[in-house]
């Protein structure tokens, strides 16, 4: 007799839909890059304390949601090798060591009991050199990841030593329960982080020559035995991060926000991360995930993700995907599925010698099973799902998402009719989330002034000059169509229309306050949710990220121009949200 086993999924037809969706309400909020926040109390990078203040301000202005970047784990040891430059190298929040746990870089350390009470911490924070270094990190207009993470890990090490020896007994028991609940996945990550620390300068585990590239090897088991305390330190870091992010969501819900945190889940795993190291059979290491060439990205895109092996994923009863989805829903009221088309197919790409254009093919997945997992876990966690469906979308995919309750993702600058005119707000589908742009695209000021096009040119992303000129010509038409769209909605004052018209040909002069009609137009859409980018409130021009680049552009580093204290004390934030509230469609 041959015995077999199979995964049985008994899933509801629809993802979880909160009451405001059922009641056809139109809510709004803010989206931001958490690392970009800055305050007088932060240590070189935005933290959960800063995020709480943005949530408080958003709720006070009637907002119900704050969207954030992926919070996956980052390590100072992948950022401090001799090859890493402070303004170059891969710090993408979409390529983390693990998507299952929270990045301790975002900890609001000064709110933690062990920070407050540990004598070594107090002594460390009074050191003039430390004070000077934190001041340097905070004043930098870019996040200096390596030194920021290193100083936070030093503090966490001192906090851990105090916690183990003199910490509150009830908190020690809570820590033990956390480790037991998270089990093998947590231990594997902490072992991996400790190994990264031991292999300084060699951050890719495939190049470790001491046997620890294999999680099951004798060398790895011996390392685990010899480094128990250091491994436990990293578990402590993730425990605190888990507690803090959940406290942020609790804070938002106590303010009666309908969603609270809107989290972001990357579609692929980083090839040099713990997820692939602990389970390499579930992935295809010889290829990467990306997108074929198109008019916007003529060389195509390679995102640095390692795709799931569809057959091995099924053989493992979809355990890696289930764990991923479940963990990312634990602290959020809504979850964005990055590149949601990956539920159906992914472009597996590679670069051929002497060819700058990415090569590859689409590989298909069992969308029915993956969607069933999403609907089941969504209802268990009471988490609204948004599928990021930008780019090349398979026929029937959006309809399939709608049938199962996943909201579509609508970006104003890409929502166009066949003639290039912008889709009218009333024609946006209700089951969607609308934004003016995303982290991968230009801000309102940057879009008008060709910032993205010029960055792509400087980074060598165009195959030839004709492609560059074609995009400039297309942007000129976009500016003209923006004027028509805004005028039709009655959103332009005579002064704004004059400024936009005078600058429409070249975009060389950004009309002052251009973000206001962009937000008003987006707020008027029929989409269930509208989010304003925090950087748009403060007229940011620079790109957060230039897709398809790593060293060519300082991706994922740019800080917000205003501090949390300044946001709180000046009127721009509240005025913008008040204007959005005014333009949101009224519920029936």
């Amino acid at each position: 007799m041959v015995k077999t086993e199979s995964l049985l999924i008994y899933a509801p037809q629809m993802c979880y839909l909160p009451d405001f969706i059922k009641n056809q309400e139109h809510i709004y909020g803010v989206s931001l890059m958490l690392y970009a926040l800055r305050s007088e109390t932060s240590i070189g990078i935005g933290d959960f304390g800063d995020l709480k203040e943005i949530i408080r301000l958003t709720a006070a202005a009637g907002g119900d949601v704050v969207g954030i970047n992926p919070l996956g784990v980052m390590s100072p040891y992948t950022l401090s090798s001799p090859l890493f430059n402070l303004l170059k190298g891969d710090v993408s929040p979409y390529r983390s060591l693990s998507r299952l746990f929270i990045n301790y870089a975002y900890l609001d350390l000064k709110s933690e009991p062990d920070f407050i009470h540990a004598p070594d911490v107090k002594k460390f924070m009074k050191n003039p050199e430390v004070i000077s270094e934190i001041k340097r990190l905070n004043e930098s207009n870019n996040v200096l990841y390596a030194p920021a993470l290193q100083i936070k890990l030093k503090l966490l090490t001192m906090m851990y030593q105090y916690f183990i020896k003199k910490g509150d007994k009830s908190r020690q028991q809570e820590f033990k329960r956390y480790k037991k609940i998270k089990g093998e996945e947590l231990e594997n990550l902490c072992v991996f982080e400790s190994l990264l620390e031991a292999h300084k300068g060699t951050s890719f585990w495939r190049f470790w020559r001491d046997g620890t590239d294999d999680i099951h090897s004798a060398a790895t088991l011996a390392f685990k035995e010899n480094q128990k305390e250091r491994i436990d330190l990293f578990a402590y870091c993730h425990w605190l991060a888990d507690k803090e992010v959940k406290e942020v969501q609790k804070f938002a819900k106590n303010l009666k926000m309908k969603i609270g945190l809107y989290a972001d889940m990357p579609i692929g795993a980083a090839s040099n991360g713990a997820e692939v190291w602990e389970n390499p059979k579930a992935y295809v290491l010889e290829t990467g995930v990306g997108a074929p060439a198109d008019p916007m990205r003529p060389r195509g895109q390679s995102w640095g993700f390692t795709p799931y092996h569809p057959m091995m994923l099924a053989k493992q009863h979809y355990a890696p995907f289930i764990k991923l989805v479940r963990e990312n829903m634990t602290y959020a009221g809504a979850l964005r599925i990055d590149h949601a088309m990956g539920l159906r197919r992914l472009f597996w790409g590679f670069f051929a010698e002497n060819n700058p254009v990415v090569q590859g093919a689409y590989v298909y997945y069992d969308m029915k099973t993956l969607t069933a997992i999403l609907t089941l876990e969504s209802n268990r966690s009471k988490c609204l799902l948004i599928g990021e469906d930008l780019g090349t979308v398979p026929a029937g995919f959006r309809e399939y998402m709608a049938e199962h309750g996943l909201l579509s993702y609508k970006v104003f600058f890409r929502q166009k009719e066949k003639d290039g005119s912008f889709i009218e707000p009333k024609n946006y589908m209700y089951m969607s989330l609308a934004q003016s742009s995303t982290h991968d695209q230009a801000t309102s000021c940057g879009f008008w002034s060709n910032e993205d096009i010029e960055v792509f040119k400087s980074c060598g992303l165009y195959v030839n000059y004709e492609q560059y000129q074609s995009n400039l010509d297309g942007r000129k038409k976009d500016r003209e169509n923006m004027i028509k769209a805004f005028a039709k909605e009655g959103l332009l004052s005579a002064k704004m229309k004059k400024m936009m018209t005078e600058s429409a040909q070249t975009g060389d002069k950004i009309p002052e306050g251009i973000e206001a009609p962009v937000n008003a137009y987006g707020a008027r859409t029929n989409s269930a949710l509208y989010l304003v980018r925090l950087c748009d409130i403060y007229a940011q021009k620079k790109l957060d990220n230039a897709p398809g680049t790593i060293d060519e552009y300082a991706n994922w580093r740019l800080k917000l121009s205003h501090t949390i204290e300044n946001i709180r004390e000046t009127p721009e934030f509240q005025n913008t949200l008040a204007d959005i509230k005014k333009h949101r469609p009224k519920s029936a």
Side-chain angles (χ1 to χ4, degrees):
M1 180 184 292
V2 177
K3 291 185 177 180
T4 61
E5 59 179 28
S6 178
L7 173 67
L8 175 64
I9 303 175
Y10 187 71
Q13 170 73 15
M14 300 283 284
C15 292
Y16 171 74
L17 298 176
D19 288 341
F20 81 86
I21 293 281
K22 296 173 184 176
N23 296 333
Q24 297 281 295
E25 297 175 42
H26 297 80
I27 69 171
Y28 60 94
V30 175
S31 69
L32 55 86
M33 299 286 107
L34 179 52
Y35 61 79
L37 298 181
R38 56 205 302 180
S39 70
E40 295 173 0
T41 59
S42 57
I43 303 178
I45 186 170
D47 60 39
F48 292 129
D50 299 330
L51 181 58
K52 271 188 174 181
E53 185 60 10
I54 295 295
I55 285 172
R56 188 188 69 78
L57 292 169
T58 302
D64 285 298
V65 56
V66 172
I68 53 176
N69 55 277
L71 301 181
V73 179
M74 185 181 287
S75 169
Y77 300 103
T78 62
L79 310 177
S80 55
S81 72
L83 300 176
F84 187 86
N85 183 294
L86 288 178
L87 295 182
K88 293 183 178 181
D90 187 10
V91 292
S92 171
Y94 290 86
R95 282 189 297 274
S96 58
L97 298 184
S98 174
R99 297 168 294 170
L100 300 174
F101 294 90
I102 305 299
N103 189 353
Y104 62 77
Y106 296 131
L107 278 168
D108 177 18
L109 292 183
K110 293 179 181 180
S111 70
E112 291 293 337
D114 303 320
F115 182 98
I116 295 168
H117 298 300
D120 288 348
V121 169
K122 292 178 182 178
K123 182 179 178 181
F124 182 80
M125 293 299 288
K126 290 178 181 177
N127 186 316
E129 291 183 5
V130 173
I131 293 170
S132 176
E133 175 67 353
I134 292 175
K135 185 174 184 290
R136 180 182 77 92
L137 296 176
N138 283 343
E139 290 180 350
S140 171
N141 289 326
N142 288 288
V143 179
L144 307 179
Y145 282 95
L149 266 68
Q150 286 167 348
I151 201 167
K152 282 203 162 184
L153 188 56
K154 285 179 183 178
L155 286 164
L156 282 160
T157 302
M158 289 181 269
M159 290 165 60
Y160 170 76
Q161 292 296 337
Y162 174 83
F163 171 75
I164 293 300
K165 296 173 184 176
K166 298 181 180 179
D168 181 81
K169 299 299 181 185
S170 64
R171 292 180 75 245
Q172 290 176 349
Q173 289 302 315
E174 185 184 345
F175 178 45
K176 289 179 181 178
R177 287 193 296 272
Y178 170 80
K179 289 189 289 184
K180 185 176 181 179
I181 291 169
K182 296 301 181 181
E184 188 177 30
E185 280 77 28
L186 175 64
E187 182 183 47
N188 289 345
L189 171 61
C190 297
V191 170
F192 186 80
E193 290 179 283
S194 301
L195 282 166
L196 277 175
E197 190 174 40
H199 291 90
K200 291 177 182 177
T202 310
S203 60
F204 199 161
W205 57 268
R206 295 185 80 179
F207 300 133
W208 296 345
R209 303 304 182 198
D210 58 359
T212 55
D213 58 323
D214 180 355
I215 190 172
H216 301 295
S217 71
T220 302
L221 293 174
F223 181 87
K224 286 168 63 174
E225 189 62 32
N226 293 330
Q227 297 293 325
K228 285 182 178 179
E229 184 174 309
R230 198 65 180 171
I231 292 167
D232 200 51
L233 161 69
F234 287 112
Y236 169 79
C237 294
H238 298 307
W239 170 58
L240 292 182
D242 183 80
K243 281 165 59 70
E244 283 202 14
V245 73
K246 287 176 180 175
E247 177 57 35
V248 170
Q249 175 63 353
K250 182 180 178 183
F251 179 76
K253 298 305 285 185
N254 286 342
L255 293 173
K256 307 301 180 185
M257 297 180 88
K258 291 183 171 68
I259 288 179
L261 282 181
Y262 159 50
D264 197 346
M265 186 183 82
I267 193 66
S271 58
N272 65 338
E275 289 178 70
V276 182
W277 172 75
E278 70 176 339
N279 186 13
K281 289 183 179 179
Y283 301 88
V284 183
L285 292 171
E286 290 73 27
T287 190
V289 177
D294 61 30
M296 287 289 292
R297 306 286 190 274
R299 294 186 186 276
Q301 298 180 58
S302 178
W303 301 327
F305 298 142
T306 298
Y308 286 125
H309 190 304
M311 295 173 68
M312 289 304 299
L313 194 60
K315 190 173 181 179
Q316 293 184 10
H317 306 311
Y318 294 89
F321 185 72
I322 293 170
K323 291 172 186 173
L324 174 67
V325 170
R326 190 174 290 168
E327 288 296 334
N328 278 269
M329 289 181 182
T330 58
Y331 60 88
L335 181 66
R336 174 184 182 270
I337 310 295
D338 182 47
H339 194 69
M341 289 81 77
L343 300 170
R344 178 67 178 129
R345 69 182 189 184
L346 284 173
F347 185 79
W348 290 14
F350 65 93
F351 285 98
E353 189 174 356
N354 299 320
N355 190 339
V357 180
V358 67
Q359 309 296 300
Y362 281 106
V363 175
Y364 285 76
Y365 292 79
D366 185 347
M367 182 164 66
K368 183 177 180 180
T369 299
L370 294 175
T371 304
I373 292 167
L374 288 176
T375 62
L376 181 58
E377 295 299 333
S378 168
N379 279 281
R380 281 175 168 169
S381 298
K382 291 185 168 28
C383 184
L384 177 68
L385 293 187
I386 296 97
E388 188 260 292
D389 51 348
L390 304 178
T392 305
V393 181
F397 179 78
R398 288 193 174 106
E399 291 78 2
Y400 190 86
M401 283 206 327
E403 288 172 10
H404 295 282
L406 282 89
L407 273 63
S408 185
Y409 195 67
K410 305 300 182 187
V411 174
F412 164 66
F413 292 130
R414 299 179 66 150
Q415 294 300 301
K416 302 174 188 177
E417 304 287 3
K418 290 183 179 179
D419 64 0
S421 62
F422 288 99
I423 294 173
E424 292 185 47
K426 66 182 181 181
N427 292 331
Y428 278 57
M429 62 188 292
Y430 176 73
M431 288 290 286
S432 67
L433 178 148
Q435 285 191 257
S436 61
S437 68
T438 76
H439 54 265
D440 283 339
Q441 298 171 34
T443 63
S444 297
C445 289
F447 187 86
W448 185 269
S449 62
N450 309 318
E451 175 73 8
D452 52 335
I453 296 173
E454 296 300 337
V455 166
F456 297 158
K457 181 190 177 188
S458 68
C459 292
L461 298 183
Y462 293 113
V463 174
N464 52 49
Y465 182 82
E466 287 72 21
Q467 289 178 336
Y468 164 68
Q469 187 60 50
S470 175
N471 275 3
L472 284 178
D473 293 341
R475 187 59 54 84
K476 173 179 170 290
K477 292 178 182 176
D478 286 338
R479 286 189 289 267
E480 293 170 349
N481 284 327
M482 284 171 69
I483 296 172
K484 293 176 183 177
F486 296 164
K488 187 175 181 179
E489 288 291 317
L491 297 173
L492 295 182
S493 65
K495 181 181 178 182
M496 177 59 73
K497 187 174 183 178
K498 183 176 183 290
M499 286 191 295
M500 292 178 72
T501 302
E502 289 175 348
S503 177
Q505 288 297 307
T506 61
D508 56 351
K509 186 174 182 180
I510 302 171
E512 185 179 350
I514 182 66
E515 61 278 0
V518 171
N519 278 321
Y521 195 89
R524 287 191 175 192
T525 61
N526 187 45
S527 299
L529 290 81
Y530 176 70
L531 298 185
V532 55
R533 295 180 68 186
L534 185 58
C535 60
D536 258 347
I537 296 177
Y538 297 101
Q540 178 178 307
K541 180 182 174 183
K542 289 185 178 180
L543 285 171
D544 288 321
N545 171 52
T549 69
I550 294 179
D551 291 337
E552 300 92 333
Y553 187 77
N555 295 313
W556 311 113
R557 290 168 168 83
L558 185 64
K559 289 184 184 178
L560 194 67
S561 58
H562 289 53
T563 65
I564 294 293
E565 292 79 14
N566 187 259
I567 292 171
R568 186 170 55 227
E569 294 163 5
T570 54
E572 288 92 340
F573 186 93
Q574 295 296 332
N575 288 349
T576 299
L577 266 66
D579 198 47
I580 288 171
K581 181 178 182 178
K582 180 177 71 176
H583 287 285
R584 284 262 68 193
K586 299 299 182 285
S587 302

